[in-house]
Amino acid sequence: MRKLKAAIFISGRGSNLESLIKSTNKKNSLVDICLVISNNPSAKGLIIANKKKVPAIYVVQKKNFEKKITKYLKDIDVICLAGFMQVLAADFVNRWDSRLINIHPSYLPKFKGLNAQEQAIKAKSTFSGCTVHYVSSKIDSGEIILQKKVKILKKDNTESLSKKILIEEHKIYPRALQMVARRLLKQK
């Protein structure tokens, strides 16, 4: 069975990276994670990639970042942003149209951008959640692939809400990646 080759872009702890690697190691997975790219040389996710024997690189230069990484992506079918804290250039996003996905810690379209959990708490929202979506040139605005609501309790703060959302992220991101893989494999 043909599998899609995926690259995961990270900036930090790599918990979603770890859940994606774990899910793609299952027998029925349609995806192989072949590369991890970070814009942060001290990202803990690089350690996870190393332990899981997934090739990993880091490129800290913001200017021309996309140009520098393109040579590593020639055999890649799909890119997953997993806590990647850098806006990608519009031409790069357009080149990867329908093959570039992201996870965001809110129930989009609510609370786009940075500090989504804090935004939800400050807005006194009754729920938030997480969303896997295609990346578009507008921040957190691409077509939604999969979402999960998370109830916000009165006792919740940014930290407790973040923990609850992260648990759900680890469940829906692998499922969404498999959904995208099925769609892309049908097109081939």
Side-chain angles (χ1 to χ4, degrees), residues 7-184:
I8 313 297
F9 289 15
I10 63 167
S11 294
R13 67 180 174 233
S15 69
N16 272 304
L17 166 66
E18 192 163 24
S19 72
L20 289 168
I21 291 172
K22 184 178 176 184
S23 74
T24 57
N25 284 337
K26 292 180 180 174
K27 189 177 180 181
N28 61 346
S29 174
L30 301 172
V31 179
D32 278 330
I33 296 175
C34 301
L35 178 64
V36 173
I37 296 178
S38 178
N39 61 346
N40 174 5
S42 44
K44 290 181 181 163
L46 292 170
I47 296 167
I48 293 169
N50 187 37
K51 283 182 183 175
K52 302 291 184 177
K53 298 186 179 4
V54 177
I57 62 166
Y58 63 86
V59 176
V60 293
Q61 185 177 358
K62 277 192 177 192
K63 189 177 180 183
N64 296 321
F65 175 84
E66 295 84 355
K67 243 183 210 177
K68 292 215 179 276
I69 63 168
T70 296
K71 64 184 171 190
Y72 300 104
L73 300 174
K74 61 182 174 221
D75 295 326
I76 298 297
D77 299 302
V78 64
I79 297 172
C80 301
L81 306 183
F84 184 67
M85 304 305 290
Q86 181 173 320
V87 175
L88 294 165
D91 63 328
F92 182 85
V93 170
N94 292 335
R95 201 172 328 124
W96 285 89
D97 182 47
S98 302
R99 299 180 302 133
L100 178 58
I101 64 176
N102 182 44
I103 185 129
H104 183 71
S106 80
Y107 200 84
L108 292 174
K110 292 176 105 179
F111 314 121
K112 294 178 181 181
L114 296 175
N115 306 314
Q117 303 91 328
E118 184 179 337
Q119 291 179 56
I121 294 291
K122 284 183 177 178
K124 297 186 185 328
S125 185
T126 57
F127 73 92
S128 188
C130 49
T131 303
V132 180
H133 63 92
Y134 290 103
V135 177
S136 70
S137 57
K138 293 183 181 174
I139 303 283
D140 299 325
S141 297
E143 180 187 340
I144 292 169
I145 301 164
L146 198 57
Q147 293 182 293
K148 176 68 177 173
K149 280 187 180 179
V150 173
K151 189 173 184 172
I152 300 176
L153 305 174
K154 288 185 182 188
K155 67 178 183 177
D156 276 325
N157 58 31
T158 302
E159 185 180 331
S160 64
L161 178 59
S162 296
K163 286 178 182 177
K164 291 193 310 189
I165 290 173
L166 189 60
I167 289 167
E168 298 305 324
E169 287 182 27
H170 293 169
K171 295 175 187 174
I172 73 163
Y173 208 1
R175 285 183 21 224
L177 177 56
Q178 295 301 316
M179 290 167 63
V180 169
R182 271 192 288 291
R183 183 188 59 76
L184 290 173

